[in-house]
Amino acid sequence: MRIEHDLKLGFKDVLIRPKRSTLKSRAEVKLERSYTFLHSQLQWSGVPIIAANMDTVGTFAMAEALAKHDMLCALHKHYSLQEWQDWLKQAGENIYQRIMVSTGTSDNDMEKLKAVLSIAPQLQFICIDVANGYAESFVDFVSRVREAYPQMTIIAGNVVTGEMVEELLLAGADVVKVGIGPGSVCTTRVKTGVGYPQLSAVIECADAAHGLGGRIISDGGCICPGDVSKAFGAGSDFVMLGGMLAGHDESGGQLVEREGLQYKLFYGMSSSTAMSKHVGGVAEYRSSEGKTVEVPYRGVVEETLRDILGGVRSTCTYVGAAELRELTKRTTFIRVQEQENRTFS
Ligand code: 5GP
């Protein structure tokens, strides 16, 4: 046993220090980023915010709403081939830069991935997603997908430490997804005691990835637009959102009415709700590591997206970053013991 004494930080432990700036308005701030990915060598431009591949977030409807702002959607892995085919037919050619196909690592997942890619060879992003990205078998799976699809951009995760980011990049991932335990409907930290505060995970993993020419996604734990800015400020190349995009018309999930108020069902992908729906229940050897909650119904997602984009633009003006690209080098975090004033919350 060993104890690391360095204090690790989450979004709630810091604020961003304002800096003198010549920017006149947040309308001047450019949020688009352009990346050329390490292995695929594909070029991508867009606003690097991604809807999470949960079936109560990452839906076809969400992808269309996000694409209007040049943002991305990692589609959940439970769409049938027919659903994919029907949707792609009407979504138009421009959608391919804006969506990711998700997969787990089982044989069934691999078969399904192959089938989706065979009907939609224009897809550019594969998101290989497991709760625990530390298993050797996961690294092998990433290598196999890299061999099979050398021309595609591969995202792999989740991990939270630099050495594992490097291992996944060397195994063939272009982008590594970072986050264990910070999610709004995640119970991993409670059930297992395992985790890593997200801000520190991002800072450390970004450093490791950028050293090798790779990229990272900060996945989970953002509860407000300010957290999205903090993730970018910490060095993340992309930010993935679940809970912040839940509860909308586009989010999927059942609408529930109670005492005149409307709610939408939102659940973790390893919650008992998700497992009953997709694999017929929670396997005996594992506990469910996700919650099921009802979130207030919030209408169309458009206003929420504007709020997020407006928040990040405003952060950039506070620190004098004319482009999102400059945000990390213009960020100084201050450690704090307070966030917002909650008198009227
Ligand atoms: P949020 O933005 O809601 O804080 O976090 C979203 C992220 O939570 C997802 O992208 C995914 O990484 C993670 N997540 C989703 N479902 C579950 C789950 O059932 N268990 C755990 N441990 N994490 C989950």
Side-chain angles (χ1 to χ4, degrees):
M1 194 279 294
R2 208 167 71 84
I3 298 184
E4 278 186 23
H5 289 280
D6 268 7
L7 181 66
K8 304 295 178 185
L9 304 173
F11 298 130
K12 67 165 201 337
D13 302 315
V14 299
L15 286 167
I16 298 169
R17 193 181 209 274
K19 287 204 168 86
R20 278 181 61 196
S21 155
T22 53
L23 291 170
K24 291 200 187 72
S25 135
R26 60 177 158 168
E28 290 175 27
V29 174
K30 180 180 161 222
L31 294 184
E32 288 77 23
R33 296 227 41 193
S34 296
Y35 301 127
T36 301
F37 294 108
L38 176 63
H39 297 286
S40 71
Q41 286 296 306
L42 284 181
Q43 293 186 349
W44 178 87
S45 295
V47 176
I49 297 176
I50 313 171
N53 48 335
M54 304 166 75
D55 59 2
T56 46
V57 179
T59 65
F60 290 143
M62 186 64 77
E64 290 174 20
L66 288 166
K68 288 187 193 136
H69 295 276
D70 298 332
M71 297 154 92
L72 282 150
C73 182
L75 292 153
H76 69 74
K77 68 175 187 179
H78 300 292
Y79 282 120
S80 70
L81 283 185
Q82 189 63 51
E83 286 169 320
W84 268 101
Q85 220 152 14
D86 294 345
W87 180 67
L88 285 171
K89 228 182 275 168
Q90 54 90 45
E93 285 300 306
N94 291 334
I95 202 73
Y96 292 99
Q97 283 243 328
R98 305 283 169 244
I99 54 176
M100 300 176 171
V101 56
S102 306
T103 180
T105 56
S106 70
D107 291 345
N108 279 350
D109 286 328
M110 189 67 180
E111 285 309 305
K112 174 83 177 290
L113 177 68
K114 280 186 192 154
V116 172
L117 292 175
S118 72
I119 58 168
Q122 306 94 314
L123 282 165
Q124 299 179 9
F125 290 97
I126 301 175
C127 179
I128 312 173
D129 192 21
V130 295
N132 171 7
Y134 283 77
E136 202 174 285
S137 58
F138 178 64
V139 180
D140 293 342
F141 188 86
V142 172
S143 305
R144 272 170 48 210
V145 177
R146 168 53 66 209
E147 256 169 52
Y149 299 102
Q151 78 292 1
M152 292 195 64
T153 300
I154 296 176
I155 292 112
N158 281 21
V159 299
V160 284
T161 50
E163 90 285 357
M164 208 57 205
V165 168
E166 289 169 358
E167 178 145 2
L168 289 169
L169 291 172
L170 295 173
D174 297 285
V175 184
V176 175
K177 199 144 68 73
V178 173
I180 292 187
S184 58
V185 282
C186 164
T187 56
T188 298
R189 292 179 184 176
V190 183
K191 292 281 170 89
T192 69
V194 175
Y196 213 100
Q198 186 68 0
L199 186 89
S200 290
V202 168
I203 293 170
E204 293 168 28
C205 291
D207 189 49
H210 296 163
L212 290 179
R215 300 284 172 186
I216 67 159
I217 299 174
S218 171
D219 176 19
C222 289
I223 62 174
C224 56
D227 290 345
V228 178
S229 296
K230 288 174 188 175
F232 284 126
S236 202
D237 304 290
F238 295 88
V239 177
M240 181 172 267
L241 304 177
M244 284 181 69
L245 300 179
H248 298 90
D249 287 335
E250 294 85 349
S251 313
Q254 196 185 326
L255 191 65
V256 189
E257 219 168 301
R258 188 162 298 126
E259 292 168 9
L261 296 174
Q262 292 183 307
Y263 302 87
K264 273 199 132 182
L265 209 61
F266 174 49
Y267 47 82
M269 291 312 287
S270 53
S271 64
S272 53
T273 309
M275 287 198 258
S276 311
K277 185 165 174 199
H278 300 297
V279 294
V282 181
E284 259 173 47
Y285 59 88
R286 61 183 293 182
S287 65
S288 108
E289 286 173 22
K291 287 185 224 178
T292 301
V293 297
E294 288 174 0
V295 297
Y297 168 63
R298 300 163 72 187
V300 291
V301 76
E302 176 64 23
E303 202 171 314
T304 301
L305 298 183
R306 283 176 194 274
D307 192 46
I308 295 169
L309 297 174
V312 178
R313 277 202 190 91
S314 191
T315 309
C316 289
T317 59
Y318 271 109
V319 299
E323 302 182 29
L324 182 57
R325 191 166 61 95
E326 298 168 13
L327 183 57
T328 304
K329 74 168 187 281
R330 299 198 61 96
T331 293
T332 303
F333 288 117
I334 48 172
R335 271 184 63 196
V336 296
Q337 293 193 318
E338 63 174 34
Q339 288 283 324
E340 86 278 29
N341 183 332
R342 299 187 60 87
T343 309
F344 297 112
S345 307

